[in-house]
Amino acid sequence: MRTFAVASRLVWIWCSYLLSTTQLPAQVNTAGIFGLIADSSGGVIAGATISARNVETNLARSTKSDAAGAYQLPILPIGSYEVTAESAGFKKEVRSGLTLAAGDRLRLNLELVPGQITESIEVSAQTSLVNSDSPDLGVTIDHAKVANLPLNGR
């Protein structure tokens, strides 16, 4: 009986340790963009450069697509973005009007058209309101909403 008590205590201590070291989800104020880069025939483009520029702050982040044509820009501050994709032998493509809120993970598949480097394609679009890639919900609360909250007895 004493062995069972010691074993159950060790299991409890071990579980407590695991729970205390596990990262729990927290409030985030970042978003991400990910997707695939392909050519007009559907073939993936490896090594394409993808840049996301915050229109308000002019902060730019860039990455390259992997061998499968996939790219990720995971930790972007919330705001309005312009995404640019370019690769040698293809026209540069620019997508603007992309708004990221807290916790968003925007899937943005880009298609590059063969052409000279001096040519570019610019597309202005709005993102969809439904995020089909993640069940997470996020809300951005601005300063005006916080200032107008009722005070409870203060």
Side-chain angles (χ1 to χ4, degrees):
M1 186 71 174
R2 181 167 167 78
T3 320
F4 177 73
V6 171
S8 66
R9 182 172 287 178
L10 287 174
V11 168
W12 186 83
I13 291 171
W14 179 250
C15 289
S16 298
Y17 172 75
L18 286 177
L19 288 175
S20 68
T21 59
T22 305
Q23 290 183 352
L24 298 175
Q27 295 175 347
V28 294
N29 62 351
T30 59
I33 300 174
F34 68 101
L36 294 172
I37 304 291
D39 60 13
S40 56
S41 67
V44 297
I45 301 173
T49 302
I50 300 91
S51 302
R53 184 181 65 85
N54 188 315
V55 177
E56 291 102 17
T57 64
N58 212 25
L59 171 77
R61 301 261 171 91
S62 63
T63 188
K64 293 212 178 259
S65 60
D66 62 13
Y71 72 92
Q72 288 188 30
L73 293 164
I75 304 173
L76 297 172
I78 58 175
S80 296
Y81 280 87
E82 177 182 87
V83 176
T84 305
E86 53 191 332
S87 185
F90 292 93
K91 297 178 187 177
K92 179 169 78 170
E93 183 170 349
V94 178
R95 296 272 179 103
S96 58
L98 305 171
T99 303
L100 297 177
D104 281 353
R105 285 196 33 88
L106 174 66
R107 177 185 296 272
L108 184 62
N109 295 333
L110 300 168
E111 181 180 300
L112 298 181
V113 179
Q116 296 181 11
I117 297 173
T118 58
E119 297 180 48
S120 68
I121 298 174
E122 188 165 334
V123 178
S124 295
Q126 292 288 24
T127 60
S128 63
L129 297 176
V130 177
N131 181 3
S132 61
D133 295 317
S134 172
D136 296 337
L137 296 176
V139 176
T140 303
I141 300 175
D142 60 0
H143 178 69
K145 288 181 183 175
V146 173
N148 291 328
L149 286 174
L151 298 175
N152 187 8
R154 288 187 263 160

